[in-house]
Amino acid sequence: MDIGFIGLGIMGAPMALHLVNAGHQLFVNTRSELSPEVAASPAIRCKDAAEVARRAAVVFVMVPDTPDVESVLFGEGGVAQSLNGNDAGARKIIVDMSSISPTATKAFAQRINALGADYIDAPVSGGEVGAKAASLTIMCGGDAAVFERIRPLLELMGKNITLVGGNGDGQTTKVANQIIVALNIAAVGEALLFAAKAGADPAKVRDALMGGFASSRILEVHGERMIKRTFAPGFRIRLHQKDLGLALQGARELGVSLPQTAGVAQLMQACAANGLDDLDHSALVRALELLADHEISAAA
Amino acid sequence: MDIGFIGLGIMGAPMALHLVNAGHQLFVNTRSELSPEVAASPAIRCKDAAEVARRAAVVFVMVPDTPDVESVLFGEGGVAQSLNGNDAGARKIIVDMSSISPTATKAFAQRINALGADYIDAPVSGGEVGAKAASLTIMCGGDAAVFERIRPLLELMGKNITLVGGNGDGQTTKVANQIIVALNIAAVGEALLFAAKAGADPAKVRDALMGGFASSRILEVHGERMIKRTFAPGFRIRLHQKDLGLALQGARELGVSLPQTAGVAQLMQACAANGLDDLDHSALVRALELLADHEISAAA
């Protein structure tokens, strides 16, 4: 199939390669240098997003933030230029895999639909490791029939693929995921720091809690990182800050109050203020440790 | 074995019955009426905690809060009166299964040790259901040899039994557990309310998140309660408020700052202000819903 891929960064490049390796003809456009693997592949580099959309039947977008998606879709040389008047041919499908605003996504989808094309929002979690291993979790929003048509392509990039609902619901699910992950990291951080300062061995406390109601993937994975002080990313605090920004901006637009999310966002800001925002998000505990002048590991 | 049990409330009564049913002779004392099952059992009612401690080799305590434990141990007619000068006989063991202050526990243990007896702190989680089913999680602090001597008795009341460290570490682990559970409930509440207000089906969002980094026992159990609006306790907000009080009081004593725990404690206070504190702690989401004038279920 003729497939477009716009945005070949740390995430996009390995995801695009999985499509190439499955035998698809790729048309790509990216602001960054092409990675050696993509440059050596049969993927064809296009001068802009409009050319990608003209030559491909399905166009994947994987860029950093909401304004980047807007620019790729509706800016100068954007995807929309190749959709206008496309009603004579087969309907193209735009699949946005970036993590962006759910409300902006609904508007983008309506504008794309009005140009005679289909839209699926399909943000991912799993990071660079998941992108390379084709094991990403993919949370989708859009029409069920359109989703079924692109599902075989998504399965080349991820494992746990869900259609949650209509357009925007994929992005909403990603935001919900990032809220829970951030707040669960703070929960484990406060609990283990309390335990360490009280003189208990945080590793033994974590073990004792693993079977009960406190158990979570975050206690398992990030709790261990906090105790072993392995803060190399992983998922950088800086990127999680962006996602909590989407949550708080969305909350303002929707009329929801997220007091705990706002609190964790401020703790991440404290990490940034101390130059820690390129560490893994489990290093959120460092902000709590700074406040307490005590490190979890020091008690063990 | 001659076993004492002080505090036969909602938790203590079924726990004591497991010991009776295993063939042990119980000596009991409680402020409440004896439950019909305990009254009909061979358990012998004592006039005060001192009599219990005089007649029993191991004394379990299961009362509401730190001052209650202090009163049972060191008050008028308390356990300590029967320990003084006890050094001639076998060392008695005091096992406090209440959920109380870790720092007070360390002081209580030292005072009991000074009277020639041993002390184990062994708070539980699992609630009334776990007490009746003998499936409690029991988090212990104290001497390892003493712990091994009472382990067969603990196994009559619980399943997941851990010696975390020295005296106080059991209570510290319980506090850590209650911090994580409370903060994970808030995490799921904010995420599902955001999703519902954004127009997504919170049940589908929960399903999509269950396999990834957001997965937790709380997302599984309390997330479902929020969506299905099943807020009958379970574990009452009022009791969780007490446990967060222990966390925040402990934090002040130890010199740790727990900003997220403090936030959740205020959300629970908002539930109490609205007469919701006898509901299950999953009803914490009601405080967020009041702020947003929107209920999770309304969007489904």
Side-chain angles (χ1 to χ4, degrees), chain A residues 106 164 177 184 190 197-198 204 214-215 217 254-256 258-261 263-264, chain B residues 106 164 184 190 197-198 204 214-215 217 254-256 258-261 263-264:
Chain A
K106 291 181 192 188
V164 179
N177 184 75
N184 283 8
E190 292 199 1
K197 196 73 194 270
K204 288 193 178 156
S215 69
R217 278 280 278 162
L254 294 165
V256 186
L258 304 177
Q260 295 291 114
T261 302
V264 170
Chain B
K106 291 182 191 186
V164 178
N184 284 8
E190 292 199 0
K197 196 73 192 271
K204 287 192 179 156
S215 69
R217 278 280 278 161
L254 295 165
V256 186
L258 304 177
Q260 294 291 113
T261 302
V264 170

PDB file of all heavy atoms in Angstrom, chain A residues 106 164 177 184 190 197-198 204 214-215 217 254-256 258-261 263-264, chain B residues 106 164 184 190 197-198 204 214-215 217 254-256 258-261 263-264:
ATOM      1  N   LYS A 106     -10.807  16.956  17.816  1.00  0.00           N
ATOM      2  CA  LYS A 106     -12.173  16.888  17.287  1.00  0.00           C
ATOM      3  C   LYS A 106     -12.374  17.905  16.166  1.00  0.00           C
ATOM      4  O   LYS A 106     -13.004  17.615  15.148  1.00  0.00           O
ATOM      5  CB  LYS A 106     -13.185  17.119  18.413  1.00  0.00           C
ATOM      6  CG  LYS A 106     -13.221  15.962  19.403  1.00  0.00           C
ATOM      7  CD  LYS A 106     -14.247  16.174  20.519  1.00  0.00           C
ATOM      8  CE  LYS A 106     -14.009  15.132  21.601  1.00  0.00           C
ATOM      9  NZ  LYS A 106     -15.033  15.121  22.628  1.00  0.00           N
ATOM     10  N   VAL A 164     -11.443   3.316  21.278  1.00  0.00           N
ATOM     11  CA  VAL A 164     -12.177   3.714  22.484  1.00  0.00           C
ATOM     12  C   VAL A 164     -13.533   4.314  22.132  1.00  0.00           C
ATOM     13  O   VAL A 164     -14.531   4.071  22.806  1.00  0.00           O
ATOM     14  CB  VAL A 164     -11.355   4.716  23.320  1.00  0.00           C
ATOM     15  CG1 VAL A 164     -12.129   5.148  24.557  1.00  0.00           C
ATOM     16  CG2 VAL A 164     -10.018   4.099  23.708  1.00  0.00           C
ATOM     17  N   ASN A 177      -4.395   8.361  30.680  1.00  0.00           N
ATOM     18  CA  ASN A 177      -3.244   7.510  30.998  1.00  0.00           C
ATOM     19  C   ASN A 177      -2.132   8.324  31.663  1.00  0.00           C
ATOM     20  O   ASN A 177      -1.580   7.924  32.695  1.00  0.00           O
ATOM     21  CB  ASN A 177      -2.724   6.875  29.710  1.00  0.00           C
ATOM     22  CG  ASN A 177      -1.582   5.905  29.947  1.00  0.00           C
ATOM     23  OD1 ASN A 177      -1.792   4.793  30.422  1.00  0.00           O
ATOM     24  ND2 ASN A 177      -0.357   6.326  29.636  1.00  0.00           N
ATOM     25  N   ASN A 184       0.250   8.273  40.092  1.00  0.00           N
ATOM     26  CA  ASN A 184       0.713   7.047  40.747  1.00  0.00           C
ATOM     27  C   ASN A 184       2.209   7.132  41.077  1.00  0.00           C
ATOM     28  O   ASN A 184       2.647   6.583  42.090  1.00  0.00           O
ATOM     29  CB  ASN A 184       0.427   5.826  39.863  1.00  0.00           C
ATOM     30  CG  ASN A 184      -1.038   5.412  39.898  1.00  0.00           C
ATOM     31  OD1 ASN A 184      -1.876   6.110  40.449  1.00  0.00           O
ATOM     32  ND2 ASN A 184      -1.345   4.269  39.303  1.00  0.00           N
ATOM     33  N   GLU A 190       5.773   9.575  47.538  1.00  0.00           N
ATOM     34  CA  GLU A 190       5.465  10.037  48.897  1.00  0.00           C
ATOM     35  C   GLU A 190       5.482   8.865  49.885  1.00  0.00           C
ATOM     36  O   GLU A 190       5.992   9.000  51.004  1.00  0.00           O
ATOM     37  CB  GLU A 190       4.110  10.770  48.926  1.00  0.00           C
ATOM     38  CG  GLU A 190       4.164  12.094  48.163  1.00  0.00           C
ATOM     39  CD  GLU A 190       3.033  13.072  48.518  1.00  0.00           C
ATOM     40  OE1 GLU A 190       2.189  12.768  49.373  1.00  0.00           O
ATOM     41  OE2 GLU A 190       3.030  14.176  47.928  1.00  0.00           O
ATOM     42  N   LYS A 197      12.138   7.759  55.601  1.00  0.00           N
ATOM     43  CA  LYS A 197      12.414   8.742  56.657  1.00  0.00           C
ATOM     44  C   LYS A 197      12.012   8.185  58.027  1.00  0.00           C
ATOM     45  O   LYS A 197      12.612   8.539  59.048  1.00  0.00           O
ATOM     46  CB  LYS A 197      11.679  10.057  56.355  1.00  0.00           C
ATOM     47  CG  LYS A 197      12.168  11.259  57.147  1.00  0.00           C
ATOM     48  CD  LYS A 197      13.531  11.769  56.673  1.00  0.00           C
ATOM     49  CE  LYS A 197      14.186  12.733  57.659  1.00  0.00           C
ATOM     50  NZ  LYS A 197      13.864  14.144  57.444  1.00  0.00           N
ATOM     51  N   ALA A 198      11.018   7.279  58.037  1.00  0.00           N
ATOM     52  CA  ALA A 198      10.605   6.642  59.291  1.00  0.00           C
ATOM     53  C   ALA A 198      11.555   5.524  59.697  1.00  0.00           C
ATOM     54  O   ALA A 198      11.369   4.900  60.739  1.00  0.00           O
ATOM     55  CB  ALA A 198       9.179   6.102  59.161  1.00  0.00           C
ATOM     56  N   LYS A 204      11.827  -3.268  51.240  1.00  0.00           N
ATOM     57  CA  LYS A 204      10.965  -4.246  51.921  1.00  0.00           C
ATOM     58  C   LYS A 204       9.526  -3.743  52.005  1.00  0.00           C
ATOM     59  O   LYS A 204       8.585  -4.522  51.931  1.00  0.00           O
ATOM     60  CB  LYS A 204      11.515  -4.541  53.320  1.00  0.00           C
ATOM     61  CG  LYS A 204      12.780  -5.382  53.268  1.00  0.00           C
ATOM     62  CD  LYS A 204      13.134  -5.930  54.632  1.00  0.00           C
ATOM     63  CE  LYS A 204      14.386  -6.805  54.536  1.00  0.00           C
ATOM     64  NZ  LYS A 204      15.079  -6.897  55.831  1.00  0.00           N
ATOM     65  N   ALA A 214      -2.451  -1.509  47.124  1.00  0.00           N
ATOM     66  CA  ALA A 214      -1.501  -0.490  46.665  1.00  0.00           C
ATOM     67  C   ALA A 214      -0.746  -0.932  45.414  1.00  0.00           C
ATOM     68  O   ALA A 214       0.022  -0.160  44.847  1.00  0.00           O
ATOM     69  CB  ALA A 214      -0.511  -0.160  47.785  1.00  0.00           C
ATOM     70  N   SER A 215      -0.981  -2.156  44.973  1.00  0.00           N
ATOM     71  CA  SER A 215      -0.177  -2.672  43.855  1.00  0.00           C
ATOM     72  C   SER A 215      -0.534  -1.980  42.539  1.00  0.00           C
ATOM     73  O   SER A 215      -1.681  -1.655  42.277  1.00  0.00           O
ATOM     74  CB  SER A 215      -0.341  -4.185  43.716  1.00  0.00           C
ATOM     75  OG  SER A 215      -1.632  -4.502  43.277  1.00  0.00           O
ATOM     76  N   ARG A 217       1.475  -1.112  38.342  1.00  0.00           N
ATOM     77  CA  ARG A 217       2.650  -1.196  37.475  1.00  0.00           C
ATOM     78  C   ARG A 217       3.691  -0.169  37.906  1.00  0.00           C
ATOM     79  O   ARG A 217       4.893  -0.412  37.835  1.00  0.00           O
ATOM     80  CB  ARG A 217       2.255  -0.925  36.019  1.00  0.00           C
ATOM     81  CG  ARG A 217       1.684  -2.131  35.326  1.00  0.00           C
ATOM     82  CD  ARG A 217       2.777  -3.091  34.858  1.00  0.00           C
ATOM     83  NE  ARG A 217       3.355  -2.677  33.588  1.00  0.00           N
ATOM     84  CZ  ARG A 217       4.519  -3.109  33.142  1.00  0.00           C
ATOM     85  NH1 ARG A 217       5.234  -3.946  33.864  1.00  0.00           N
ATOM     86  NH2 ARG A 217       4.973  -2.706  31.971  1.00  0.00           N
ATOM     87  N   LEU A 254     -12.868  22.131  29.276  1.00  0.00           N
ATOM     88  CA  LEU A 254     -14.038  21.276  29.494  1.00  0.00           C
ATOM     89  C   LEU A 254     -14.845  21.678  30.731  1.00  0.00           C
ATOM     90  O   LEU A 254     -16.004  21.311  30.859  1.00  0.00           O
ATOM     91  CB  LEU A 254     -13.590  19.821  29.655  1.00  0.00           C
ATOM     92  CG  LEU A 254     -12.959  19.153  28.435  1.00  0.00           C
ATOM     93  CD1 LEU A 254     -12.250  17.866  28.851  1.00  0.00           C
ATOM     94  CD2 LEU A 254     -14.016  18.847  27.383  1.00  0.00           C
ATOM     95  N   GLY A 255     -14.197  22.395  31.667  1.00  0.00           N
ATOM     96  CA  GLY A 255     -14.874  22.686  32.922  1.00  0.00           C
ATOM     97  C   GLY A 255     -14.735  21.546  33.912  1.00  0.00           C
ATOM     98  O   GLY A 255     -15.722  21.083  34.483  1.00  0.00           O
ATOM     99  N   VAL A 256     -13.516  21.038  34.084  1.00  0.00           N
ATOM    100  CA  VAL A 256     -13.226  20.023  35.090  1.00  0.00           C
ATOM    101  C   VAL A 256     -12.073  20.549  35.929  1.00  0.00           C
ATOM    102  O   VAL A 256     -11.189  21.240  35.413  1.00  0.00           O
ATOM    103  CB  VAL A 256     -12.793  18.685  34.440  1.00  0.00           C
ATOM    104  CG1 VAL A 256     -12.632  17.598  35.489  1.00  0.00           C
ATOM    105  CG2 VAL A 256     -13.777  18.249  33.388  1.00  0.00           C
ATOM    106  N   LEU A 258      -8.849  19.529  38.237  1.00  0.00           N
ATOM    107  CA  LEU A 258      -7.935  18.412  38.489  1.00  0.00           C
ATOM    108  C   LEU A 258      -6.881  18.815  39.513  1.00  0.00           C
ATOM    109  O   LEU A 258      -5.704  19.008  39.178  1.00  0.00           O
ATOM    110  CB  LEU A 258      -7.258  17.974  37.184  1.00  0.00           C
ATOM    111  CG  LEU A 258      -8.164  17.581  36.010  1.00  0.00           C
ATOM    112  CD1 LEU A 258      -7.323  17.248  34.778  1.00  0.00           C
ATOM    113  CD2 LEU A 258      -9.070  16.405  36.367  1.00  0.00           C
ATOM    114  N   PRO A 259      -7.277  18.961  40.794  1.00  0.00           N
ATOM    115  CA  PRO A 259      -6.339  19.507  41.784  1.00  0.00           C
ATOM    116  C   PRO A 259      -5.089  18.647  41.984  1.00  0.00           C
ATOM    117  O   PRO A 259      -3.995  19.185  42.152  1.00  0.00           O
ATOM    118  CB  PRO A 259      -7.184  19.582  43.066  1.00  0.00           C
ATOM    119  CG  PRO A 259      -8.352  18.681  42.840  1.00  0.00           C
ATOM    120  CD  PRO A 259      -8.611  18.702  41.370  1.00  0.00           C
ATOM    121  N   GLN A 260      -5.232  17.327  41.951  1.00  0.00           N
ATOM    122  CA  GLN A 260      -4.061  16.483  42.178  1.00  0.00           C
ATOM    123  C   GLN A 260      -3.121  16.515  40.969  1.00  0.00           C
ATOM    124  O   GLN A 260      -1.898  16.501  41.132  1.00  0.00           O
ATOM    125  CB  GLN A 260      -4.490  15.037  42.473  1.00  0.00           C
ATOM    126  CG  GLN A 260      -5.264  14.867  43.771  1.00  0.00           C
ATOM    127  CD  GLN A 260      -4.394  15.103  44.989  1.00  0.00           C
ATOM    128  OE1 GLN A 260      -4.594  16.063  45.737  1.00  0.00           O
ATOM    129  NE2 GLN A 260      -3.404  14.257  45.201  1.00  0.00           N
ATOM    130  N   THR A 261      -3.692  16.563  39.773  1.00  0.00           N
ATOM    131  CA  THR A 261      -2.864  16.665  38.568  1.00  0.00           C
ATOM    132  C   THR A 261      -2.086  17.980  38.576  1.00  0.00           C
ATOM    133  O   THR A 261      -0.896  18.016  38.230  1.00  0.00           O
ATOM    134  CB  THR A 261      -3.749  16.580  37.310  1.00  0.00           C
ATOM    135  OG1 THR A 261      -4.467  15.342  37.342  1.00  0.00           O
ATOM    136  CG2 THR A 261      -2.914  16.647  36.038  1.00  0.00           C
ATOM    137  N   GLY A 263      -1.125  19.586  41.179  1.00  0.00           N
ATOM    138  CA  GLY A 263      -0.064  19.454  42.171  1.00  0.00           C
ATOM    139  C   GLY A 263       1.147  18.718  41.620  1.00  0.00           C
ATOM    140  O   GLY A 263       2.291  19.150  41.807  1.00  0.00           O
ATOM    141  N   VAL A 264       0.908  17.616  40.932  1.00  0.00           N
ATOM    142  CA  VAL A 264       2.020  16.846  40.362  1.00  0.00           C
ATOM    143  C   VAL A 264       2.732  17.653  39.277  1.00  0.00           C
ATOM    144  O   VAL A 264       3.963  17.595  39.157  1.00  0.00           O
ATOM    145  CB  VAL A 264       1.537  15.493  39.815  1.00  0.00           C
ATOM    146  CG1 VAL A 264       2.641  14.814  39.015  1.00  0.00           C
ATOM    147  CG2 VAL A 264       1.108  14.585  40.952  1.00  0.00           C
TER     148      VAL A 264
ATOM    149  N   LYS B 106       6.975   2.935  68.208  1.00  0.00           N
ATOM    150  CA  LYS B 106       8.356   2.691  68.649  1.00  0.00           C
ATOM    151  C   LYS B 106       8.502   2.959  70.147  1.00  0.00           C
ATOM    152  O   LYS B 106       9.173   2.206  70.869  1.00  0.00           O
ATOM    153  CB  LYS B 106       9.328   3.564  67.844  1.00  0.00           C
ATOM    154  CG  LYS B 106       9.418   3.121  66.391  1.00  0.00           C
ATOM    155  CD  LYS B 106      10.419   3.950  65.591  1.00  0.00           C
ATOM    156  CE  LYS B 106      10.245   3.628  64.101  1.00  0.00           C
ATOM    157  NZ  LYS B 106      11.250   4.257  63.254  1.00  0.00           N
ATOM    158  N   VAL B 164       8.471  -6.626  57.990  1.00  0.00           N
ATOM    159  CA  VAL B 164       9.154  -5.592  57.201  1.00  0.00           C
ATOM    160  C   VAL B 164      10.475  -5.188  57.852  1.00  0.00           C
ATOM    161  O   VAL B 164      11.471  -4.953  57.173  1.00  0.00           O
ATOM    162  CB  VAL B 164       8.244  -4.363  57.015  1.00  0.00           C
ATOM    163  CG1 VAL B 164       8.957  -3.271  56.237  1.00  0.00           C
ATOM    164  CG2 VAL B 164       6.944  -4.760  56.317  1.00  0.00           C
ATOM    165  N   ASN B 184      -3.898   6.825  44.539  1.00  0.00           N
ATOM    166  CA  ASN B 184      -4.295   6.112  43.323  1.00  0.00           C
ATOM    167  C   ASN B 184      -5.798   6.253  43.058  1.00  0.00           C
ATOM    168  O   ASN B 184      -6.219   6.325  41.900  1.00  0.00           O
ATOM    169  CB  ASN B 184      -3.914   4.625  43.422  1.00  0.00           C
ATOM    170  CG  ASN B 184      -2.424   4.389  43.213  1.00  0.00           C
ATOM    171  OD1 ASN B 184      -1.648   5.326  43.137  1.00  0.00           O
ATOM    172  ND2 ASN B 184      -2.029   3.128  43.123  1.00  0.00           N
ATOM    173  N   GLU B 190      -9.640  11.531  38.848  1.00  0.00           N
ATOM    174  CA  GLU B 190      -9.391  12.672  37.958  1.00  0.00           C
ATOM    175  C   GLU B 190      -9.350  12.219  36.495  1.00  0.00           C
ATOM    176  O   GLU B 190      -9.875  12.896  35.607  1.00  0.00           O
ATOM    177  CB  GLU B 190      -8.090  13.398  38.356  1.00  0.00           C
ATOM    178  CG  GLU B 190      -8.216  14.095  39.712  1.00  0.00           C
ATOM    179  CD  GLU B 190      -7.172  15.192  39.954  1.00  0.00           C
ATOM    180  OE1 GLU B 190      -6.318  15.436  39.074  1.00  0.00           O
ATOM    181  OE2 GLU B 190      -7.228  15.807  41.043  1.00  0.00           O
ATOM    182  N   LYS B 197     -16.014  13.914  30.949  1.00  0.00           N
ATOM    183  CA  LYS B 197     -16.389  15.284  30.569  1.00  0.00           C
ATOM    184  C   LYS B 197     -15.974  15.572  29.125  1.00  0.00           C
ATOM    185  O   LYS B 197     -16.607  16.371  28.443  1.00  0.00           O
ATOM    186  CB  LYS B 197     -15.737  16.285  31.536  1.00  0.00           C
ATOM    187  CG  LYS B 197     -16.352  17.690  31.497  1.00  0.00           C
ATOM    188  CD  LYS B 197     -17.732  17.770  32.144  1.00  0.00           C
ATOM    189  CE  LYS B 197     -18.458  19.073  31.854  1.00  0.00           C
ATOM    190  NZ  LYS B 197     -18.205  20.155  32.797  1.00  0.00           N
ATOM    191  N   ALA B 198     -14.933  14.888  28.652  1.00  0.00           N
ATOM    192  CA  ALA B 198     -14.505  15.050  27.258  1.00  0.00           C
ATOM    193  C   ALA B 198     -15.383  14.255  26.302  1.00  0.00           C
ATOM    194  O   ALA B 198     -15.171  14.296  25.089  1.00  0.00           O
ATOM    195  CB  ALA B 198     -13.040  14.626  27.110  1.00  0.00           C
ATOM    196  N   LYS B 204     -14.898   2.314  28.726  1.00  0.00           N
ATOM    197  CA  LYS B 204     -13.986   1.920  27.637  1.00  0.00           C
ATOM    198  C   LYS B 204     -12.584   2.474  27.867  1.00  0.00           C
ATOM    199  O   LYS B 204     -11.587   1.837  27.524  1.00  0.00           O
ATOM    200  CB  LYS B 204     -14.543   2.384  26.290  1.00  0.00           C
ATOM    201  CG  LYS B 204     -15.736   1.540  25.851  1.00  0.00           C
ATOM    202  CD  LYS B 204     -16.110   1.797  24.402  1.00  0.00           C
ATOM    203  CE  LYS B 204     -17.297   0.916  24.003  1.00  0.00           C
ATOM    204  NZ  LYS B 204     -18.037   1.497  22.865  1.00  0.00           N
ATOM    205  N   ALA B 214      -0.695   2.543  33.410  1.00  0.00           N
ATOM    206  CA  ALA B 214      -1.696   3.093  34.322  1.00  0.00           C
ATOM    207  C   ALA B 214      -2.395   2.006  35.127  1.00  0.00           C
ATOM    208  O   ALA B 214      -3.204   2.310  36.004  1.00  0.00           O
ATOM    209  CB  ALA B 214      -2.731   3.902  33.534  1.00  0.00           C
ATOM    210  N   SER B 215      -2.074   0.745  34.848  1.00  0.00           N
ATOM    211  CA  SER B 215      -2.821  -0.334  35.508  1.00  0.00           C
ATOM    212  C   SER B 215      -2.481  -0.428  36.989  1.00  0.00           C
ATOM    213  O   SER B 215      -1.345  -0.223  37.406  1.00  0.00           O
ATOM    214  CB  SER B 215      -2.569  -1.673  34.820  1.00  0.00           C
ATOM    215  OG  SER B 215      -1.247  -2.093  35.040  1.00  0.00           O
ATOM    216  N   ARG B 217      -4.452  -2.088  40.983  1.00  0.00           N
ATOM    217  CA  ARG B 217      -5.610  -2.707  41.629  1.00  0.00           C
ATOM    218  C   ARG B 217      -6.731  -1.687  41.793  1.00  0.00           C
ATOM    219  O   ARG B 217      -7.911  -2.021  41.710  1.00  0.00           O
ATOM    220  CB  ARG B 217      -5.202  -3.240  43.017  1.00  0.00           C
ATOM    221  CG  ARG B 217      -4.543  -4.575  42.965  1.00  0.00           C
ATOM    222  CD  ARG B 217      -5.559  -5.706  42.833  1.00  0.00           C
ATOM    223  NE  ARG B 217      -6.144  -6.072  44.115  1.00  0.00           N
ATOM    224  CZ  ARG B 217      -7.283  -6.751  44.231  1.00  0.00           C
ATOM    225  NH1 ARG B 217      -7.961  -7.102  43.167  1.00  0.00           N
ATOM    226  NH2 ARG B 217      -7.729  -7.063  45.425  1.00  0.00           N
ATOM    227  N   LEU B 254       8.469  13.583  61.362  1.00  0.00           N
ATOM    228  CA  LEU B 254       9.688  13.058  60.737  1.00  0.00           C
ATOM    229  C   LEU B 254      10.437  14.108  59.925  1.00  0.00           C
ATOM    230  O   LEU B 254      11.619  13.954  59.647  1.00  0.00           O
ATOM    231  CB  LEU B 254       9.344  11.881  59.813  1.00  0.00           C
ATOM    232  CG  LEU B 254       8.777  10.627  60.480  1.00  0.00           C
ATOM    233  CD1 LEU B 254       8.148   9.714  59.422  1.00  0.00           C
ATOM    234  CD2 LEU B 254       9.874   9.885  61.234  1.00  0.00           C
ATOM    235  N   GLY B 255       9.739  15.163  59.503  1.00  0.00           N
ATOM    236  CA  GLY B 255      10.353  16.125  58.603  1.00  0.00           C
ATOM    237  C   GLY B 255      10.298  15.691  57.154  1.00  0.00           C
ATOM    238  O   GLY B 255      11.297  15.673  56.450  1.00  0.00           O
ATOM    239  N   VAL B 256       9.102  15.277  56.728  1.00  0.00           N
ATOM    240  CA  VAL B 256       8.852  14.937  55.326  1.00  0.00           C
ATOM    241  C   VAL B 256       7.651  15.752  54.873  1.00  0.00           C
ATOM    242  O   VAL B 256       6.735  15.998  55.668  1.00  0.00           O
ATOM    243  CB  VAL B 256       8.519  13.436  55.144  1.00  0.00           C
ATOM    244  CG1 VAL B 256       8.419  13.075  53.670  1.00  0.00           C
ATOM    245  CG2 VAL B 256       9.559  12.566  55.821  1.00  0.00           C
ATOM    246  N   LEU B 258       4.461  15.924  52.323  1.00  0.00           N
ATOM    247  CA  LEU B 258       3.621  15.051  51.495  1.00  0.00           C
ATOM    248  C   LEU B 258       2.522  15.873  50.829  1.00  0.00           C
ATOM    249  O   LEU B 258       1.350  15.784  51.205  1.00  0.00           O
ATOM    250  CB  LEU B 258       2.997  13.943  52.354  1.00  0.00           C
ATOM    251  CG  LEU B 258       3.950  13.054  53.157  1.00  0.00           C
ATOM    252  CD1 LEU B 258       3.156  12.053  54.001  1.00  0.00           C
ATOM    253  CD2 LEU B 258       4.918  12.313  52.235  1.00  0.00           C
ATOM    254  N   PRO B 259       2.885  16.705  49.826  1.00  0.00           N
ATOM    255  CA  PRO B 259       1.886  17.629  49.267  1.00  0.00           C
ATOM    256  C   PRO B 259       0.695  16.927  48.623  1.00  0.00           C
ATOM    257  O   PRO B 259      -0.439  17.394  48.755  1.00  0.00           O
ATOM    258  CB  PRO B 259       2.695  18.436  48.236  1.00  0.00           C
ATOM    259  CG  PRO B 259       3.928  17.638  47.960  1.00  0.00           C
ATOM    260  CD  PRO B 259       4.210  16.878  49.219  1.00  0.00           C
ATOM    261  N   GLN B 260       0.925  15.810  47.941  1.00  0.00           N
ATOM    262  CA  GLN B 260      -0.191  15.136  47.277  1.00  0.00           C
ATOM    263  C   GLN B 260      -1.115  14.455  48.295  1.00  0.00           C
ATOM    264  O   GLN B 260      -2.329  14.448  48.127  1.00  0.00           O
ATOM    265  CB  GLN B 260       0.334  14.106  46.266  1.00  0.00           C
ATOM    266  CG  GLN B 260       1.085  14.719  45.092  1.00  0.00           C
ATOM    267  CD  GLN B 260       0.183  15.504  44.171  1.00  0.00           C
ATOM    268  OE1 GLN B 260       0.284  16.726  44.057  1.00  0.00           O
ATOM    269  NE2 GLN B 260      -0.741  14.833  43.518  1.00  0.00           N
ATOM    270  N   THR B 261      -0.508  13.894  49.343  1.00  0.00           N
ATOM    271  CA  THR B 261      -1.319  13.281  50.399  1.00  0.00           C
ATOM    272  C   THR B 261      -2.186  14.335  51.075  1.00  0.00           C
ATOM    273  O   THR B 261      -3.365  14.105  51.366  1.00  0.00           O
ATOM    274  CB  THR B 261      -0.408  12.594  51.429  1.00  0.00           C
ATOM    275  OG1 THR B 261       0.388  11.615  50.754  1.00  0.00           O
ATOM    276  CG2 THR B 261      -1.215  11.918  52.527  1.00  0.00           C
ATOM    277  N   GLY B 263      -3.304  17.022  49.723  1.00  0.00           N
ATOM    278  CA  GLY B 263      -4.378  17.368  48.788  1.00  0.00           C
ATOM    279  C   GLY B 263      -5.531  16.374  48.843  1.00  0.00           C
ATOM    280  O   GLY B 263      -6.708  16.764  48.891  1.00  0.00           O
ATOM    281  N   VAL B 264      -5.179  15.086  48.840  1.00  0.00           N
ATOM    282  CA  VAL B 264      -6.233  14.066  48.888  1.00  0.00           C
ATOM    283  C   VAL B 264      -6.976  14.115  50.221  1.00  0.00           C
ATOM    284  O   VAL B 264      -8.200  13.924  50.270  1.00  0.00           O
ATOM    285  CB  VAL B 264      -5.656  12.660  48.640  1.00  0.00           C
ATOM    286  CG1 VAL B 264      -6.698  11.590  48.927  1.00  0.00           C
ATOM    287  CG2 VAL B 264      -5.192  12.532  47.203  1.00  0.00           C
TER     288      VAL B 264
END
